[in-house]
């Protein structure tokens, strides 16, 4: 081994026949998802260091070692395939983590006979796991002996200095964490990991099941096949390694909000397809019932590539196409930001990260260097990575291959100079093998009525977008859907998982009547949205809106909201590097008050901490963040933040329209402490008036102490989302439990009843600002238990007001009490549907 100007020649760590990675019988290694390298079928029983370096990771089960060379190259030496399953039997480690080793030094010993009999293969690997910074040249060898030259590594231009600096930094940090993201480390969370790592100078990697991946490569991260709640080791090296580690731990340990909305189909829906003439059965990805003509959307097909293209011209063409697609995606992202659509932002941020992924770009460049056309090189690189994801055995990761196919099509269109076009009549139902997120946005803009896919899944990004757009969508219909003639009238019953291929005129008329009646009812609701919501016996219920900006407040006011029942002030504090000052906060709160005309506005003080972290507010990583330092607890721990916010709130005008609400209160002392602080700050500002001060009831302790809290609070507002998970001891972001976290559980209803009763003893009103307020089925129950204000999403104001007007409050009070004794949430829902049926 020699090291000259950071060039590095690696010597053979084992003796035996040399194999290319492509011939390794393991899809992750063979695809290059772990990185480039070489394989050896070993004839000796000791693994030697291919160069001098530091041992940065040793497998718990003794079958693999990772070294970092002086020039920053990270080398995984992996003995055998599936040897992790031997749990260390047959291996003996000869070095330990952190140790400096010389070239040729023995690293581990293996009992070749035992391991050969108990594992899939003895084929062993030498992998460069951070290949994005290096060029690797294979020496033409068919077999090798320990210590003979095997591979040559050269740092890329502009990478050498950085690699040298990082390699000389002796600072390291590592920690283990369980991955919180539903479905594991698929495209969106992997993109967040990559984005987080890029914010630091340190080199970071994840190690899982004794395989490692640089945090700079999205494909390598996804290629690890990390599942939800799998434990990974995060390793960082560099001057800011501690900061990088904490940021990565936060990213890995915090579930994406968008993940919590993904509807996972029940296994029975997929495993069992009923047989019915003239009907195709699939899985509901987005609900709805529509009829219309079916039209098929086809992907781009490429002609045969004869090769012998000029590499430089093809590289320039691919670079220009990638730039064009990046611009298009950034435009889409900006529109999503303006609409504050976080789900779309997450999806298209992941697409941007994929476009910059070194695994894809290197594979394309290598194919172009061999004379292939840019179109075919890019298409082949995508296809290869799709196969990797689909072979990992993880359905969610397999669905993420659809995001790669989206980028494949977009870049091909840019290379071929073809704009996205499909002549469709308004109201068409579109069928495709598998639609992509960019397809969906285009189709939605063209006014299609519904979507059908032969493949796809209910947890795909397309499904998330379809639900957000209100487009009925069926997936997993099978290839039959692609054989239906264009223009054929069909009925798409996504709620029932059915595509009816030959509906008679009566059925089409029935579907259209149902759609018309829903549309008319929505129009009627909207026309009446500005009127008061009075029950049939004259009780008024305020229907307010939950908002997170002055734009949403304006929408709520135009939609008939009686006020803002919850302003989430976190919108001012997140996605920035420093806290907003007092002036910025006051202007933002004033803008919300101005947008609401003469209506009241309830402003919740900052609710961060635990699982909602701020970059400029470093807090310890918590094992159980939803039970940690959050809400009012954080505000009391960092009083300067709360004081600044309270001062800003006290300066809005008119102050009597502003109400302040405290999150996560558990005892009276917390409320009294904030009231005293509010009084002191008002006195400092020379104010005689005080805003009303209320508390959120979102932990069981607050509900049980409602009477005592109501003595000192001006109002109570129930946050049913957190109250549900704390009462039922079920994480509402847990993939397997989310469907059971139902706020209509009798235990929740008992806490709501107790809250209302406690508040009534002191003449205080009670509102609900959680998701239960948005559920029309729950409206009569909440009114019956004593709730007098419902705060909902702005588009639902008219619907909930309409629901209130259909009810008799006295009857609601009589029937609601009987629901408290039912055995579970399902029984409550059935009783509600029987007592107070919804419109079809």
């Amino acid at each position: 081994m020699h090291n000259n100007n950071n060039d590095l020649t690696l010597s053979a760590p084992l003796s035996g026949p040399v194999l290319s990675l492509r011939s390794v019988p393991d899809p992750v290694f063979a695809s290059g998802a772990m990185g480039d390298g070489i394989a050896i079928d070993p004839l000796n029983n000791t693994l030697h260091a291919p160069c001098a370096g530091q041992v940065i990771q040793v497998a718990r089960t003794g079958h693999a070692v990772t070294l970092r060379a002086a020039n920053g190259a990270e080398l995984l030496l992996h003995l055998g395939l599936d040897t992790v399953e031997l749990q260390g039997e047959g291996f003996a480690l000869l070095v330990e983590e952190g140790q400096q080793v010389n070239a040729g030094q023995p690293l581990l010993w293996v009992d070749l006979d035992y391991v050969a009999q108990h594992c899939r293969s003895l084929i062993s690997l030498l992998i460069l796991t951070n290949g994005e910074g290096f060029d690797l040249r294979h020496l033409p060898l068919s077999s090798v002996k320990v210590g003979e030259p095997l591979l040559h590594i050269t740092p890329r231009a502009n990478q050498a200095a950085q690699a040298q600096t990082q390699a000389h930094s002796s600072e390291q940090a590592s920690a283990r964490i369980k991955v919180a993201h539903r479905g594991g480390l698929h495209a969106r969370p992997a993109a967040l990991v990559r984005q987080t790592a890029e914010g630091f100078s340190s080199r970071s990697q994840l190690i899982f099941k004794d395989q490692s991946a640089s945090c700079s490569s999205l494909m390598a991260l996804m290629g690890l096949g990390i599942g939800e709640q799998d434990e990974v080791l995060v390793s960082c090296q560099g001057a800011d390694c501690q900061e990088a580690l904490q940021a990565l731990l936060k990213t890995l340990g915090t579930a994406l909000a968008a993940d919590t909305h993904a509807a996972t189909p029940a296994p029975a829906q997929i495993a069992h397809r009923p047989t019915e003439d003239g009907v195709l059965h699939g899985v509901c990805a987005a609900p709805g019932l529509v009829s219309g003509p079916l039209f098929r959307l086809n992907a781009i097909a490429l002609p045969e590539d004869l090769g012998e293209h000029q590499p430089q011209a093809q590289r320039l063409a691919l670079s220009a196409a990638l730039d064009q697609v990046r611009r298009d995606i950034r435009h889409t992202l900006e529109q999503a930001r303006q609409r504050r659509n976080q789900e779309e932002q997450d999806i298209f941020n992941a697409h941007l990260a994929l476009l910059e992924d070194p695994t894809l770009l290197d594979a394309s460049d290598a194919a172009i260097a061999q004379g292939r056309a840019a179109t075919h090189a890019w298409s082949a690189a995508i296809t290869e990575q799709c196969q990797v994801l689909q072979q990992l055995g993880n359905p969610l990761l397999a669905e993420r291959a659809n995001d790669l196919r989206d980028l494949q099509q977009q870049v091909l269109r840019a290379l071929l100079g073809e704009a996205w076009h499909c002549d469709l009549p308004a109201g068409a139902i579109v069928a495709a093998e598998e639609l992509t997120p960019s397809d969906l946005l285009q189709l939605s803009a063209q006014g299609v009525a519904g979507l059908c896919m032969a493949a796809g899944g209910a947890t795909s990004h397309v499904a998330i977008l379809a639900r957000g757009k209100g487009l009925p969508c069926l997936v997993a219909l099978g290839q039959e859907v692609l054989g239906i003639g264009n223009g054929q009238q069909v009925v798409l019953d996504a709620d029932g998982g059915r595509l009816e291929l030959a509906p008679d005129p009566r059925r089409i008329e029935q579907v259209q009547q149902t759609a018309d009646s829903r549309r008319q009812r929505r129009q009627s609701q909207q026309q009446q949205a500005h009127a008061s919501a009075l029950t049939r016996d004259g009780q008024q219920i305020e229907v307010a809106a939950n908002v997170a900006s002055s734009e949403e407040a304006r929408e709520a006011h135009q939609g008939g909201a009686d006020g803002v029942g919850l302003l989430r002030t976190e919108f001012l504090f997140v996605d920035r590097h420093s806290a907003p000052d007092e002036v910025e906060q006051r202007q933002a709160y004033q803008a919300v008050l101005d947008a609401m005309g003469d209506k009241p506005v309830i402003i919740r003080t900052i609710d961060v901490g635990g699982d909602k972290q701020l970059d400029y507010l470093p807090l310890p990583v918590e094992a159980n963040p939803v039970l940690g330092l959050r809400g009012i607890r954080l505000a009391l721990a960092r009083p300067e933040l709360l004081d600044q916010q309270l001062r800003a709130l006290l300066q809005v005008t008119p102050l009597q329209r502003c109400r302040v609400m405290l999150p996560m209160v558990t005892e009276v002392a917390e409320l009294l402490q904030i009231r005293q602080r509010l009084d002191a700050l008002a006195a400092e500002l020379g104010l005689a008036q005080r805003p009303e001060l209320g508390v959120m009831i979102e932990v069981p302790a607050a509900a049980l102490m409602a009477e005592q809290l109501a003595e000192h609070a001006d109002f109570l507002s129930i946050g049913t989302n957190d109250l549900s998970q704390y009462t039922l001891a079920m994480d509402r972001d847990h993939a397997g439990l989310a469907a059971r976290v139902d706020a209509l559980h009798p235990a929740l209803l008992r806490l709501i009843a107790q809250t209302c009763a406690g508040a009534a003893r002191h003449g205080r009103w009670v509102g609900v600002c959680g998701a239960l307020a948005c559920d029309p089925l729950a409206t009569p129950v909440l009114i019956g238990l004593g709730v007098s204000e419902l705060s909902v999403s702005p588009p639902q104001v008219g619907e909930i007001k309409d629901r209130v007007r259909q009810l008799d409050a006295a009857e609601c009070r009589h029937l609601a009490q009987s629901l408290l004794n039912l055995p579970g949430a399902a029984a409550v829902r059935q009783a509600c549907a029987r007592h107070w049926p919804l419109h079809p």
Side-chain angles (χ1 to χ4, degrees):
M1 185 278 295
H2 67 270
N3 185 351
N4 183 28
N5 294 327
N6 293 317
D7 288 3
L8 186 65
T9 299
L10 301 180
S11 59
L14 296 161
S15 299
V18 176
L19 310 169
S20 72
L21 278 191
R22 291 183 179 278
S23 61
V24 174
D26 182 290
V28 176
F29 285 120
S31 68
M34 290 295 298
D36 197 4
I38 204 78
I40 298 173
D41 199 354
L43 299 176
N44 64 311
N45 62 5
T46 305
L47 178 75
H48 297 260
C51 63
Q54 183 182 40
V55 179
I56 61 172
Q57 194 264 337
V58 292
R60 173 181 53 80
T61 49
H63 70 286
V65 175
T66 304
L67 301 181
R68 182 182 287 121
N71 69 348
E74 294 175 1
L75 307 164
L76 170 67
L77 296 120
H78 192 285
L79 221 156
L81 301 178
D82 290 348
T83 38
V84 66
E85 296 176 8
L86 299 182
Q87 295 297 308
E89 287 293 323
F91 296 96
L93 278 167
L94 307 176
V95 292
E96 59 186 24
E97 207 165 293
Q99 182 177 338
Q100 292 288 337
V101 297
N102 299 317
Q105 182 172 334
L107 302 177
L108 69 84
W109 173 88
V110 58
D111 182 338
L112 287 179
D113 291 338
Y114 177 85
V115 173
Q117 291 171 17
H118 292 86
C119 78
R120 183 153 58 101
S121 171
L122 275 173
I123 290 175
S124 301
L125 301 114
L126 169 56
I127 302 288
L128 175 65
T129 61
N130 59 341
E132 63 276 3
F134 301 88
D135 289 317
L136 187 147
R137 182 164 57 85
H138 297 250
L139 301 180
L141 300 167
S142 58
S143 64
V144 73
K145 292 182 179 177
V146 168
E148 291 181 351
L150 181 63
L151 296 167
H152 190 70
I153 295 176
T154 307
R156 290 181 183 161
N158 302 322
Q159 296 277 344
Q162 182 184 356
Q164 190 71 26
T165 300
Q166 290 168 337
H168 284 161
S169 171
S170 60
E171 293 187 55
Q172 292 188 34
S174 63
R176 296 186 177 275
I177 191 168
K178 288 186 177 181
V179 173
H181 298 281
R182 171 182 276 187
L185 216 58
H186 51 85
R188 284 177 292 151
L192 287 176
V193 170
R194 178 180 178 274
Q195 186 179 42
T196 301
E198 285 179 342
F200 301 91
S201 62
S202 294
R203 302 176 68 84
S204 302
Q205 65 173 350
L206 299 189
I207 296 101
F208 176 62
K209 290 186 177 176
D210 311 315
Q211 296 179 347
S212 66
S214 166
C215 291
S216 66
S217 172
L218 200 62
M219 290 312 308
L221 288 170
M222 288 196 291
L224 290 178
I226 296 169
E228 182 182 354
Q229 294 302 309
D230 279 342
E231 187 175 80
V232 298
L233 177 68
V234 188
S235 175
C236 306
Q237 182 182 33
D240 56 0
C241 61
Q242 289 290 349
E243 294 87 346
L245 178 64
Q246 291 305 314
L248 286 167
L249 291 175
K250 171 189 161 188
T251 300
L252 289 162
T254 305
L256 274 172
D259 287 343
T260 67
H261 299 300
T264 305
Q269 288 178 288
I270 299 171
H272 173 65
R273 286 177 178 271
T275 303
E276 192 176 348
D277 288 343
V279 175
L280 297 182
H281 291 267
V283 174
C284 176
L289 173 67
V290 290
S291 65
L294 192 80
F295 285 85
R296 190 169 61 254
L297 190 67
N298 295 318
I300 294 173
L302 292 175
E304 184 182 355
D305 183 19
L306 300 176
E308 299 183 6
H309 297 277
Q310 289 296 320
Q312 188 56 26
Q314 298 302 310
R315 286 192 182 101
L316 288 172
L318 180 58
S319 179
L322 290 169
D323 284 342
Q324 180 183 326
V325 174
R326 285 189 195 102
R327 286 194 299 272
D328 292 343
I329 293 175
R330 289 191 183 107
H331 177 67
T332 302
L333 257 176
E334 184 54 37
Q335 291 178 320
R337 285 194 191 100
Q338 289 173 3
R339 295 194 308 273
R340 296 188 174 271
N341 188 319
Q342 191 59 50
E343 290 177 340
E344 281 191 29
Q345 289 180 59
D346 289 340
I347 290 167
F348 291 105
N349 270 320
H351 284 201
L352 271 183
L354 283 168
L355 279 178
E356 297 166 2
D357 193 279
T359 306
L360 292 173
L361 298 177
D362 289 352
S364 302
D365 192 65
I368 286 173
Q370 295 170 359
R372 297 196 73 183
T375 48
H376 292 69
W378 176 254
S379 188
I382 295 281
T383 300
E384 185 174 41
Q385 294 306 324
C386 287
Q387 290 170 350
V388 171
L389 293 180
Q390 287 165 335
Q391 288 168 352
L392 287 172
N394 182 324
L396 193 59
L397 282 174
E399 285 182 5
R400 293 303 169 256
N402 183 247
D403 294 287
L404 287 172
R405 285 189 285 271
D406 192 335
L407 296 175
Q408 183 182 50
Q409 296 293 302
Q410 289 189 71
V411 174
L412 287 179
R413 287 190 191 106
L415 282 166
L416 297 169
E418 296 182 7
W420 194 101
H421 68 276
C422 186
D423 296 325
L424 295 168
I429 293 172
V430 175
E433 171 69 28
E434 191 166 9
L435 292 165
T436 68
S438 60
D439 288 338
L440 184 136
L441 293 186
Q442 296 277 5
L443 293 168
S444 174
Q446 285 190 228
V448 302
L451 310 169
C452 301
M453 289 184 253
T459 58
S460 69
H461 285 161
V462 171
I464 293 171
L465 291 174
R467 289 194 289 275
K469 298 286 184 187
L471 278 176
C473 179
L474 275 180
V475 296
L477 282 159
Q479 294 298 307
E480 246 185 291
V481 73
L482 303 179
I484 301 168
N486 277 351
Q488 180 174 328
Q489 284 288 325
V490 297
V491 166
L492 172 60
D493 178 6
D495 301 302
R498 296 157 46 89
L499 181 67
E500 301 170 25
L501 306 182
D504 59 35
R506 284 174 54 198
R507 173 59 171 155
I508 292 174
E509 185 180 357
Q510 178 192 22
V511 170
Q512 290 172 343
Q513 284 176 349
T514 301
D516 288 344
S517 65
R518 286 177 178 173
R519 189 163 48 251
Q520 289 168 7
R521 190 162 61 251
R522 280 196 298 270
Q523 289 174 352
S524 172
Q525 289 168 352
Q526 196 51 47
Q527 288 167 1
Q528 299 296 318
H530 288 271
S532 296
L534 295 172
T535 62
R536 294 204 312 268
D537 53 350
Q539 180 176 335
Q540 181 167 346
I541 303 296
E542 281 194 19
V543 181
N546 299 330
V547 304
S549 67
S550 58
E551 291 83 4
E552 288 187 5
R554 195 167 293 109
E555 177 193 344
H557 187 251
Q558 292 169 352
D562 295 327
V564 166
L566 169 63
L567 172 65
R568 303 181 184 95
T569 58
E570 297 78 52
F571 79 98
L572 276 172
F573 291 81
V574 298
D575 296 330
R576 55 191 297 161
H577 299 295
S578 61
D581 62 22
E582 187 178 313
V583 173
E584 182 183 350
Q585 289 194 55
R586 179 177 57 78
Q587 290 172 344
Y589 305 145
Q590 186 66 56
V592 173
L593 256 73
D594 292 344
M596 286 306 296
D598 61 350
K599 308 293 185 185
V601 174
I602 297 177
I603 301 177
R604 182 177 69 188
T605 57
I606 183 171
D607 185 16
V608 296
D611 59 343
K612 290 186 282 188
Q613 298 281 337
L614 301 176
D615 293 341
Y616 49 86
L617 188 66
L619 295 168
V621 175
E622 297 181 285
N624 209 336
V626 295
L627 299 180
L629 195 64
R630 55 170 298 201
I632 199 66
R633 303 166 195 167
L634 176 62
L636 293 172
R638 297 294 299 268
E640 70 281 3
L641 270 180
L642 182 63
D643 278 5
Q644 188 180 58
Q645 186 171 35
L646 292 177
R647 273 195 297 268
L649 287 168
L650 285 167
Q651 294 175 71
V652 300
T653 57
L655 191 54
Q656 65 265 27
R657 283 206 291 115
C658 173
R659 298 168 179 168
V660 179
M661 183 161 67
L662 307 176
M664 294 298 294
V665 171
T666 57
E667 58 184 41
V668 174
E670 294 167 330
L671 168 61
L672 291 178
Q673 192 171 343
I674 302 301
R675 188 177 281 287
Q676 289 164 5
R677 195 70 206 129
L678 194 65
D679 288 342
L681 292 170
E684 286 177 19
L685 292 167
L687 299 172
Q689 194 175 20
R690 304 285 188 273
E692 288 187 15
L693 181 64
V695 298
M696 287 196 73
I697 305 296
E698 48 191 336
V699 297
L704 296 169
M705 294 288 290
E707 182 178 349
Q708 289 72 27
L709 288 167
E711 184 179 352
H712 302 281
D714 296 305
F715 64 91
L716 307 179
S717 185
I718 302 171
T720 54
N721 301 2
D722 271 326
L723 188 60
S724 298
Q725 69 173 349
Y726 291 137
T727 303
L728 300 175
M730 294 182 188
D731 183 351
R732 56 192 168 102
D733 291 340
H734 189 290
L737 297 174
R740 295 181 58 194
V741 185
D742 190 334
L744 278 180
H745 191 290
L748 266 294
L749 299 184
R750 285 169 177 258
L751 290 176
I752 293 170
Q754 185 163 345
T755 300
C756 293
R761 291 190 183 99
H762 295 282
R764 312 301 189 197
W765 62 266
V766 176
V768 173
C769 59
L772 194 64
C774 302
D775 185 350
L777 198 66
T779 306
V781 187
L782 296 175
I783 293 173
L785 294 177
V787 171
S788 59
E789 185 239 35
L790 300 169
S791 192
V792 303
S793 63
Q796 285 188 281
V797 168
E799 177 187 10
I800 297 299
K801 282 192 171 185
D802 182 55
R803 178 66 161 160
V804 170
R805 296 184 191 113
Q806 300 163 20
L807 303 170
D808 181 284
E811 181 187 38
C812 291
R813 286 191 290 273
H814 173 69
L815 292 172
Q817 290 302 315
S818 66
L819 303 180
L820 304 183
N821 298 316
L822 292 176
V828 171
R829 289 193 172 275
Q830 289 169 5
C832 288
R834 187 170 63 253
H835 294 318
W836 304 285
L838 293 167
H839 286 294

